[in-house]
Amino acid sequence: MLTLRLRVSRLMVLVAAVSCIVLVGCTSQASASTSAVVEQKNTTANYRLIMTDHKPKKGEIIEVVVQSEGLVDAYAFEVSLKYDANKLKWLDAKSEVPGFSVKPIVEDGQATLAHTLIGKVAGLSGNRELFKVRFETIQSGQAAIVLQGVRIVDSKLASKTEQALASALLMIEGFAPFKDLAGYEWAEEAITALASEGIIKGTTKDTFSPGKLITRADFLLLLMRTLELEVPETSLEHRFADVEADAYYAYSVAMAAHLGIVRGDHRGLFQPAAPITRQDMMVMTVRALQGADRLSSEADMSVLQKYDDRAVIADYARESIAVLTELALVEGYSNNIQPKLNANRVQAAKMMYNIFSYIREQMNLH
């Protein structure tokens, strides 16, 4: 808490001290400096993070611009950023705005930047570039940079903190992990990202077999890895007679059954080696998202009108398909959702990548 207070007050003390000396010419007193800052009237600007390259290669340097729109008399500003420190290495930050910047506070994927004008001048107004920030990409996979907030002080020392949530997602490219993705370029980014995260694995060292049907067990294993769901093994029981206790997917199946994600068929069997239909894949996914507390709204069933084959969707799957459609986490084919078609490995990977990106975005914006 002390560190946070120091971060928040750093810009305020700086601006108050500079303004006190340059604008008013009073003697410098720390208590007067901090108390000089008052609350600013409610005028809200908009903020964006701008990147020119969203698919850099590992080892490259990227630049992110913190852009403001609709500023009103911003004499000084403090910017708070969050970034994926496992994928990105902080390099530096620079502002082209006249005045001077305080040395950034960078710690554990958080960065606080501060800059102030100098002298008896009006604050910035309109659209302005506040900072250019540079990172080095150090690991392949998806990474996010999030603008968490901006604190503004005007030329009269009135201050305002804005919850300026904005994010920039990038896919850091490493080497292509699999050699059999020709014809599946639309899913290559998804497969590469999931492989780099250890979520998805190939059928051999360098092949993915994208067109091969995915089994119920393998899809469930992929789903549990994506959501990082865990239950203590001592709390689990193996409910399905057709799931061997030492099978590579046994823990995932037992955990999913414990969480209500899978329930078995009318005979109480899971059928781990059977292919999984697209609608069953979506039902499992929604149950898992609910179990992970990642869904906050009910389905709008009207979104199913976009699918010409909606009449063949099973009753038990309609709500799940509607939820994923509304969130743009599932994609149809030529106005069809093909609910009863068996899913292949590439379709499962693309859907899990959509889920993975959705969760990461949720985490970064909170």
Side-chain angles (χ1 to χ4, degrees), residues 79-99:
V79 172
S80 298
L81 293 172
K82 179 181 177 182
Y83 63 95
D84 189 339
N86 294 321
K87 304 281 175 50
L88 300 169
K89 178 182 176 181
W90 175 272
L91 294 180
D92 54 43
K94 181 180 180 181
S95 179
E96 300 294 338
V97 175

PDB file of all heavy atoms in Angstrom, residues 79-99:
ATOM      1  N   VAL A  79       0.790   8.099 -16.328  1.00  0.00           N
ATOM      2  CA  VAL A  79       0.222   6.988 -17.087  1.00  0.00           C
ATOM      3  C   VAL A  79       0.597   5.681 -16.397  1.00  0.00           C
ATOM      4  O   VAL A  79       1.760   5.466 -16.049  1.00  0.00           O
ATOM      5  CB  VAL A  79       0.753   6.990 -18.538  1.00  0.00           C
ATOM      6  CG1 VAL A  79       0.322   5.727 -19.276  1.00  0.00           C
ATOM      7  CG2 VAL A  79       0.268   8.227 -19.276  1.00  0.00           C
ATOM      8  N   SER A  80      -0.389   4.798 -16.211  1.00  0.00           N
ATOM      9  CA  SER A  80      -0.154   3.489 -15.604  1.00  0.00           C
ATOM     10  C   SER A  80      -0.362   2.401 -16.652  1.00  0.00           C
ATOM     11  O   SER A  80      -1.425   2.320 -17.268  1.00  0.00           O
ATOM     12  CB  SER A  80      -1.112   3.252 -14.430  1.00  0.00           C
ATOM     13  OG  SER A  80      -0.891   4.208 -13.413  1.00  0.00           O
ATOM     14  N   LEU A  81       0.651   1.569 -16.843  1.00  0.00           N
ATOM     15  CA  LEU A  81       0.608   0.483 -17.818  1.00  0.00           C
ATOM     16  C   LEU A  81       0.833  -0.858 -17.135  1.00  0.00           C
ATOM     17  O   LEU A  81       1.556  -0.959 -16.141  1.00  0.00           O
ATOM     18  CB  LEU A  81       1.692   0.663 -18.881  1.00  0.00           C
ATOM     19  CG  LEU A  81       1.588   1.840 -19.841  1.00  0.00           C
ATOM     20  CD1 LEU A  81       2.857   1.944 -20.672  1.00  0.00           C
ATOM     21  CD2 LEU A  81       0.382   1.687 -20.748  1.00  0.00           C
ATOM     22  N   LYS A  82       0.208  -1.879 -17.697  1.00  0.00           N
ATOM     23  CA  LYS A  82       0.444  -3.256 -17.286  1.00  0.00           C
ATOM     24  C   LYS A  82       0.839  -4.044 -18.529  1.00  0.00           C
ATOM     25  O   LYS A  82       0.261  -3.850 -19.598  1.00  0.00           O
ATOM     26  CB  LYS A  82      -0.828  -3.847 -16.672  1.00  0.00           C
ATOM     27  CG  LYS A  82      -0.716  -5.299 -16.222  1.00  0.00           C
ATOM     28  CD  LYS A  82      -2.053  -5.760 -15.667  1.00  0.00           C
ATOM     29  CE  LYS A  82      -2.011  -7.230 -15.281  1.00  0.00           C
ATOM     30  NZ  LYS A  82      -3.333  -7.698 -14.774  1.00  0.00           N
ATOM     31  N   TYR A  83       1.841  -4.922 -18.393  1.00  0.00           N
ATOM     32  CA  TYR A  83       2.285  -5.698 -19.561  1.00  0.00           C
ATOM     33  C   TYR A  83       2.708  -7.088 -19.120  1.00  0.00           C
ATOM     34  O   TYR A  83       2.938  -7.347 -17.926  1.00  0.00           O
ATOM     35  CB  TYR A  83       3.431  -4.989 -20.291  1.00  0.00           C
ATOM     36  CG  TYR A  83       4.689  -4.816 -19.462  1.00  0.00           C
ATOM     37  CD1 TYR A  83       5.727  -5.736 -19.532  1.00  0.00           C
ATOM     38  CD2 TYR A  83       4.836  -3.726 -18.600  1.00  0.00           C
ATOM     39  CE1 TYR A  83       6.873  -5.583 -18.768  1.00  0.00           C
ATOM     40  CE2 TYR A  83       5.984  -3.556 -17.846  1.00  0.00           C
ATOM     41  CZ  TYR A  83       6.992  -4.501 -17.926  1.00  0.00           C
ATOM     42  OH  TYR A  83       8.131  -4.347 -17.162  1.00  0.00           O
ATOM     43  N   ASP A  84       2.798  -7.997 -20.091  1.00  0.00           N
ATOM     44  CA  ASP A  84       3.161  -9.388 -19.819  1.00  0.00           C
ATOM     45  C   ASP A  84       4.679  -9.493 -19.718  1.00  0.00           C
ATOM     46  O   ASP A  84       5.379  -9.551 -20.728  1.00  0.00           O
ATOM     47  CB  ASP A  84       2.634 -10.278 -20.948  1.00  0.00           C
ATOM     48  CG  ASP A  84       2.771 -11.761 -20.623  1.00  0.00           C
ATOM     49  OD1 ASP A  84       3.593 -12.103 -19.770  1.00  0.00           O
ATOM     50  OD2 ASP A  84       2.049 -12.561 -21.241  1.00  0.00           O
ATOM     51  N   ALA A  85       5.186  -9.510 -18.486  1.00  0.00           N
ATOM     52  CA  ALA A  85       6.634  -9.511 -18.277  1.00  0.00           C
ATOM     53  C   ALA A  85       7.295 -10.821 -18.684  1.00  0.00           C
ATOM     54  O   ALA A  85       8.518 -10.878 -18.841  1.00  0.00           O
ATOM     55  CB  ALA A  85       6.945  -9.204 -16.809  1.00  0.00           C
ATOM     56  N   ASN A  86       6.510 -11.880 -18.863  1.00  0.00           N
ATOM     57  CA  ASN A  86       7.084 -13.142 -19.335  1.00  0.00           C
ATOM     58  C   ASN A  86       7.370 -13.112 -20.827  1.00  0.00           C
ATOM     59  O   ASN A  86       8.182 -13.894 -21.316  1.00  0.00           O
ATOM     60  CB  ASN A  86       6.125 -14.297 -19.025  1.00  0.00           C
ATOM     61  CG  ASN A  86       5.975 -14.533 -17.545  1.00  0.00           C
ATOM     62  OD1 ASN A  86       6.942 -14.449 -16.796  1.00  0.00           O
ATOM     63  ND2 ASN A  86       4.753 -14.819 -17.110  1.00  0.00           N
ATOM     64  N   LYS A  87       6.675 -12.234 -21.539  1.00  0.00           N
ATOM     65  CA  LYS A  87       6.835 -12.161 -22.994  1.00  0.00           C
ATOM     66  C   LYS A  87       7.537 -10.877 -23.441  1.00  0.00           C
ATOM     67  O   LYS A  87       8.103 -10.833 -24.537  1.00  0.00           O
ATOM     68  CB  LYS A  87       5.451 -12.222 -23.668  1.00  0.00           C
ATOM     69  CG  LYS A  87       4.624 -13.446 -23.288  1.00  0.00           C
ATOM     70  CD  LYS A  87       5.077 -14.661 -24.052  1.00  0.00           C
ATOM     71  CE  LYS A  87       4.333 -15.914 -23.601  1.00  0.00           C
ATOM     72  NZ  LYS A  87       2.888 -15.783 -23.566  1.00  0.00           N
ATOM     73  N   LEU A  88       7.474  -9.834 -22.615  1.00  0.00           N
ATOM     74  CA  LEU A  88       7.989  -8.525 -23.000  1.00  0.00           C
ATOM     75  C   LEU A  88       8.984  -8.010 -21.966  1.00  0.00           C
ATOM     76  O   LEU A  88       8.724  -8.079 -20.764  1.00  0.00           O
ATOM     77  CB  LEU A  88       6.834  -7.518 -23.144  1.00  0.00           C
ATOM     78  CG  LEU A  88       5.756  -7.854 -24.179  1.00  0.00           C
ATOM     79  CD1 LEU A  88       4.565  -6.915 -24.011  1.00  0.00           C
ATOM     80  CD2 LEU A  88       6.317  -7.770 -25.585  1.00  0.00           C
ATOM     81  N   LYS A  89      10.078  -7.477 -22.447  1.00  0.00           N
ATOM     82  CA  LYS A  89      11.088  -6.860 -21.572  1.00  0.00           C
ATOM     83  C   LYS A  89      11.015  -5.340 -21.729  1.00  0.00           C
ATOM     84  O   LYS A  89      11.084  -4.815 -22.838  1.00  0.00           O
ATOM     85  CB  LYS A  89      12.487  -7.351 -21.951  1.00  0.00           C
ATOM     86  CG  LYS A  89      13.608  -6.722 -21.137  1.00  0.00           C
ATOM     87  CD  LYS A  89      14.962  -7.220 -21.619  1.00  0.00           C
ATOM     88  CE  LYS A  89      16.101  -6.534 -20.880  1.00  0.00           C
ATOM     89  NZ  LYS A  89      17.422  -7.002 -21.382  1.00  0.00           N
ATOM     90  N   TRP A  90      10.843  -4.653 -20.630  1.00  0.00           N
ATOM     91  CA  TRP A  90      10.768  -3.186 -20.654  1.00  0.00           C
ATOM     92  C   TRP A  90      12.109  -2.603 -21.112  1.00  0.00           C
ATOM     93  O   TRP A  90      13.173  -2.993 -20.630  1.00  0.00           O
ATOM     94  CB  TRP A  90      10.420  -2.655 -19.270  1.00  0.00           C
ATOM     95  CG  TRP A  90      10.451  -1.160 -19.177  1.00  0.00           C
ATOM     96  CD1 TRP A  90      11.522  -0.365 -18.887  1.00  0.00           C
ATOM     97  CD2 TRP A  90       9.355  -0.270 -19.396  1.00  0.00           C
ATOM     98  NE1 TRP A  90      11.173   0.945 -18.915  1.00  0.00           N
ATOM     99  CE2 TRP A  90       9.841   1.043 -19.217  1.00  0.00           C
ATOM    100  CE3 TRP A  90       8.021  -0.457 -19.706  1.00  0.00           C
ATOM    101  CZ2 TRP A  90       9.033   2.161 -19.347  1.00  0.00           C
ATOM    102  CZ3 TRP A  90       7.215   0.650 -19.829  1.00  0.00           C
ATOM    103  CH2 TRP A  90       7.709   1.938 -19.662  1.00  0.00           C
ATOM    104  N   LEU A  91      12.059  -1.632 -22.025  1.00  0.00           N
ATOM    105  CA  LEU A  91      13.273  -0.938 -22.459  1.00  0.00           C
ATOM    106  C   LEU A  91      13.269   0.510 -21.996  1.00  0.00           C
ATOM    107  O   LEU A  91      14.110   0.917 -21.198  1.00  0.00           O
ATOM    108  CB  LEU A  91      13.420  -1.016 -23.981  1.00  0.00           C
ATOM    109  CG  LEU A  91      13.657  -2.418 -24.566  1.00  0.00           C
ATOM    110  CD1 LEU A  91      13.787  -2.350 -26.081  1.00  0.00           C
ATOM    111  CD2 LEU A  91      14.904  -3.062 -23.950  1.00  0.00           C
ATOM    112  N   ASP A  92      12.336   1.313 -22.491  1.00  0.00           N
ATOM    113  CA  ASP A  92      12.309   2.713 -22.094  1.00  0.00           C
ATOM    114  C   ASP A  92      11.002   3.369 -22.514  1.00  0.00           C
ATOM    115  O   ASP A  92      10.183   2.772 -23.211  1.00  0.00           O
ATOM    116  CB  ASP A  92      13.495   3.485 -22.699  1.00  0.00           C
ATOM    117  CG  ASP A  92      13.601   3.342 -24.215  1.00  0.00           C
ATOM    118  OD1 ASP A  92      12.557   3.420 -24.893  1.00  0.00           O
ATOM    119  OD2 ASP A  92      14.718   3.158 -24.732  1.00  0.00           O
ATOM    120  N   ALA A  93      10.826   4.603 -22.072  1.00  0.00           N
ATOM    121  CA  ALA A  93       9.658   5.407 -22.437  1.00  0.00           C
ATOM    122  C   ALA A  93      10.125   6.834 -22.674  1.00  0.00           C
ATOM    123  O   ALA A  93      10.999   7.335 -21.961  1.00  0.00           O
ATOM    124  CB  ALA A  93       8.596   5.359 -21.354  1.00  0.00           C
ATOM    125  N   LYS A  94       9.539   7.489 -23.676  1.00  0.00           N
ATOM    126  CA  LYS A  94       9.944   8.849 -24.029  1.00  0.00           C
ATOM    127  C   LYS A  94       8.712   9.657 -24.399  1.00  0.00           C
ATOM    128  O   LYS A  94       7.795   9.167 -25.045  1.00  0.00           O
ATOM    129  CB  LYS A  94      10.928   8.814 -25.204  1.00  0.00           C
ATOM    130  CG  LYS A  94      11.435  10.178 -25.631  1.00  0.00           C
ATOM    131  CD  LYS A  94      12.407  10.047 -26.799  1.00  0.00           C
ATOM    132  CE  LYS A  94      12.927  11.412 -27.243  1.00  0.00           C
ATOM    133  NZ  LYS A  94      13.841  11.304 -28.393  1.00  0.00           N
ATOM    134  N   SER A  95       8.701  10.921 -23.967  1.00  0.00           N
ATOM    135  CA  SER A  95       7.613  11.826 -24.339  1.00  0.00           C
ATOM    136  C   SER A  95       8.174  12.964 -25.177  1.00  0.00           C
ATOM    137  O   SER A  95       9.216  13.539 -24.847  1.00  0.00           O
ATOM    138  CB  SER A  95       6.925  12.396 -23.098  1.00  0.00           C
ATOM    139  OG  SER A  95       5.890  13.287 -23.474  1.00  0.00           O
ATOM    140  N   GLU A  96       7.477  13.283 -26.274  1.00  0.00           N
ATOM    141  CA  GLU A  96       7.855  14.407 -27.135  1.00  0.00           C
ATOM    142  C   GLU A  96       7.220  15.711 -26.668  1.00  0.00           C
ATOM    143  O   GLU A  96       7.455  16.767 -27.253  1.00  0.00           O
ATOM    144  CB  GLU A  96       7.424  14.118 -28.584  1.00  0.00           C
ATOM    145  CG  GLU A  96       8.045  12.868 -29.196  1.00  0.00           C
ATOM    146  CD  GLU A  96       9.561  12.986 -29.372  1.00  0.00           C
ATOM    147  OE1 GLU A  96      10.066  14.132 -29.412  1.00  0.00           O
ATOM    148  OE2 GLU A  96      10.225  11.939 -29.449  1.00  0.00           O
ATOM    149  N   VAL A  97       6.429  15.632 -25.613  1.00  0.00           N
ATOM    150  CA  VAL A  97       5.808  16.832 -25.066  1.00  0.00           C
ATOM    151  C   VAL A  97       6.879  17.687 -24.395  1.00  0.00           C
ATOM    152  O   VAL A  97       7.738  17.155 -23.688  1.00  0.00           O
ATOM    153  CB  VAL A  97       4.711  16.446 -24.051  1.00  0.00           C
ATOM    154  CG1 VAL A  97       4.131  17.678 -23.373  1.00  0.00           C
ATOM    155  CG2 VAL A  97       3.606  15.645 -24.745  1.00  0.00           C
ATOM    156  N   PRO A  98       6.874  19.020 -24.589  1.00  0.00           N
ATOM    157  CA  PRO A  98       7.853  19.879 -23.908  1.00  0.00           C
ATOM    158  C   PRO A  98       7.774  19.702 -22.393  1.00  0.00           C
ATOM    159  O   PRO A  98       6.732  19.350 -21.846  1.00  0.00           O
ATOM    160  CB  PRO A  98       7.432  21.289 -24.327  1.00  0.00           C
ATOM    161  CG  PRO A  98       6.680  21.105 -25.591  1.00  0.00           C
ATOM    162  CD  PRO A  98       5.975  19.785 -25.469  1.00  0.00           C
ATOM    163  N   GLY A  99       8.876  19.975 -21.706  1.00  0.00           N
ATOM    164  CA  GLY A  99       8.934  19.818 -20.270  1.00  0.00           C
ATOM    165  C   GLY A  99       9.901  18.722 -19.904  1.00  0.00           C
ATOM    166  O   GLY A  99      10.923  18.515 -20.577  1.00  0.00           O
TER     167      GLY A  99
END
